[in-house]
Structure formats: C-alpha cells, structure tokens
Amino acid sequence: MKVAVLSFAHVHAATYVELLRDRSDVELITTDPDAPPGDPTRGKALADVLGVTYRGGYEEVFAELPQAVIVTSENSRHRQLVEQAAAAGAHILCEKPIATTEEDARAMIDACEQAGVSLMTAYPVRFHPAFTALRHTLADGSLGSLLSVHGINNSSPPGLERPWFADPALAGGGAIMDHTLHIADLLDVLLDGDQPTHVYAVANTHLTSDHEDEPKVESAGLLTLTYANGLVATIDCSWSHPSSHPTWGGLTLTCVGQRALVEFDAFQPLLDGYDTTQATTRWEPGAVDLNEAMLDSFLTAARTGQRAHPDGETGLRTLRTVLAAYESLRTGQPATPSCTA
C-alpha cells in the first residue's frame, strides 16, 4: 500500500514516519513544501534524516495516487489537504484537531463522504487496552452510572519545538485547542457520543515565559463540562511540564461511578526512578505503542474499505467542545456547544 505523510509540521509527524518506514506492507512517501527554508527539523532535511522518500510538493504526491494519506500539517491547513486527498481517492488520517472551525470540519467530512473515502481523526489514546477495559467496565454495569470524570492531559509547550503551535492563526488556539481533545474523545467513547450541554473554561498565560520563542497563547486551562444526565467532567489541558520532565507529558482519567472508582493512566511507566550517575530521571514506558495501534487500525480500514474510527464526526463533536470553551473564555460564562444549541 502506498502511504503519504503530508507535512512535517506537527510534532507527531516524525513518529508516524518512523513507525511506517520499515513496514513491509507500506510504500512510504513524504512531502513538506510549507517548511520554513533552512529549517533542519522540517522538509527534505528531516526526510533525509529519517531515511524516507521525499517529494517536492503535494501535487507531486497526489499524482502517485496514494491509497492512504496522513495529514500532519498546521491545524488550519487541514481542510485544504483533506479535500485534495479525498479528490485523489485516498483514505485519510487527520491529526487532531480535525480543524480549527466547525465550517472547515464539516466541509472535510462532506468531501470524504462524497468521495467515498474514510476520514479518521488521530486519537490514539482510545486504543489503549486499559481504556478498553474501562469501557467494558462501564458497559457491563460494574462501575454503575458515571457521576463525575476528571481528565488531565499535560505536557511541555509544543511551541518550543514547533513555533506555529503558539500562532492562533495556524493552531487555532493554545493549550485548550491542543490538549482538550484527547480527553474529550475518551468522554465521547464512554458516553456514546453524548455532548455536554454547557462548557465553562478558565485559562491564563502564567506558564508562559518572557522568552520570545516560547508560547504567547494560553498555556494553562481548566474546563468544566456538564451533561444532560447530571454528569460533571473536568479537563486540565495545561502545558505545565518543564522541558526537563522525563516525558513529553501525560494523560490520566479518573471516573467516579455509583459503584466504583476507576483510574486510567495512558502512560504509566514500567520503570520510574533517578539515575545518580547522570543526575537524570529514568523513565521507561510500560504501555503499548498507541500510535502504532492507531496506524494499524487506519491501514486496515484503508485496505478493506471499512469506515475508520474515530471518524470525522467524532473529530467534529470534540472540536465543538473546544470551540465552546473559547466562547466561554470570551464571555466569562458557560457556553453551549453548537450541536445542542
């Protein structure tokens, strides 16, 4: 299967390339025509470091008729690339957020439906076997009805590695846009697509330093979501980890039910400690590779023609929660996601 990675803008692009390049069932091509000139972390320079085939532009890639593409451009450029890929007949995995506006997300979904191709949103955490167990615990009644959920998705500021994450025009926002979505997707799974009736958000830039190369958008955020059945959920989406932290970040979910409490940690370490010889923290991951699991699911859907999940509609529902959070920030009042207006 010919697979194309479109843009190296997102911090996850290189990870996807590394997971795909040595697969015997994949012929991988890449392109990153929007890379800043001379940037060693983008464009052909990065493709050469990764040892993968590089093409000069998107049109050149689409002319080769890839069966599947992965869109890892800046957030606001997703629509253009998804529409081009759909027109070329390729199945699509789009990095989250699916878009920065509801209009763009809906246009992307419609374009893929009309072309008869799958549009999958990149939410790898839902593929964690421990989350599958949590989902089954809720489904079989062991947990009872959910009363509250507290989600945390923290990391160091991605703008330190990719400055566009701190550009609202390209990213659509800061920490709220970047880190609300994974938790929102897990809630979407647990609640069978039910969306919050109200979203209240607070945020600040207190974690932003005075250095010019660090983020100027919101760096810390806390959302409160209420649902029609009385469930209350909170999401801490802050870029609160220092650059010296042993991992890029972390993601946890605490679910309080009528019968039990369940705690899910997506990146629980196999080994955690301190190395006195190097004065560094030792951390070895113990979980499955979630990105690999997501890519396997996407490639299977592309080969078989099955609908990929999480799909574009999932991406739109979770985006609506984020957009409601920004509306709440603007007004200082709880906001209603557009789907329930």
Side-chain angles (χ1 to χ4, degrees), residues 260-301:
L261 180 147
V262 177
E263 296 181 328
F264 164 69
D265 186 342
F267 300 101
Q268 187 173 19
L270 179 67
L271 172 67
D272 193 1
Y274 190 78
D275 187 338
T276 58
T277 62
Q278 300 182 26
T280 58
T281 300
R282 281 292 304 279
W283 189 94
E284 297 292 338
V288 298
D289 191 316
L290 302 181
N291 288 315
E292 184 174 15
M294 178 183 68
L295 290 174
D296 283 341
S297 178
F298 170 61
L299 294 178
T300 297

Side-chain angles (χ1 to χ4, degrees), residues 86-109:
H91 298 284
I92 302 151
L93 171 62
C94 183
E95 186 55 67
K96 61 84 184 167
I98 186 173
T100 58
T101 69
E102 182 167 347
E103 178 185 1
D104 282 355
R106 175 48 62 190
M108 293 159 62
I109 293 168

Side-chain angles (χ1 to χ4, degrees), residues 125-213:
V125 181
R126 65 158 58 195
F127 293 94
H128 198 299
F131 180 72
T132 299
L134 167 58
R135 185 181 184 182
H136 290 164
T137 298
L138 180 63
D140 68 15
S142 300
L143 184 58
S145 299
L146 277 180
L147 303 177
S148 69
V149 179
H150 177 50
I152 300 174
N153 186 13
N154 296 159
S155 77
S156 56
L160 298 177
E161 184 176 346
R162 292 287 192 269
W164 68 263
F165 274 94
D167 181 346
L170 292 175
I176 289 177
M177 179 64 77
D178 187 38
H179 272 177
T180 297
L181 292 159
H182 283 303
I183 301 293
D185 177 57
L186 300 186
L187 288 168
D188 192 75
V189 174
L190 294 177
L191 302 177
D192 294 323
D194 286 349
Q195 292 193 259
T197 57
H198 295 87
V199 178
Y200 179 69
V202 291
N204 61 47
T205 59
H206 292 172
L207 299 178
T208 302
S209 85
D210 295 330
H211 293 94
E212 293 183 358
D213 61 344

Side-chain angles (χ1 to χ4, degrees), residues 236-267:
D236 177 349
C237 53
S238 305
W239 290 336
S240 54
H241 285 199
S243 58
S244 58
H245 198 274
T247 68
W248 69 271
L251 189 150
T252 61
L253 201 67
T254 301
C255 297
V256 180
Q258 290 178 320
R259 298 178 180 174
L261 180 147
V262 177
E263 296 181 328
F264 164 69
D265 186 342
F267 300 101

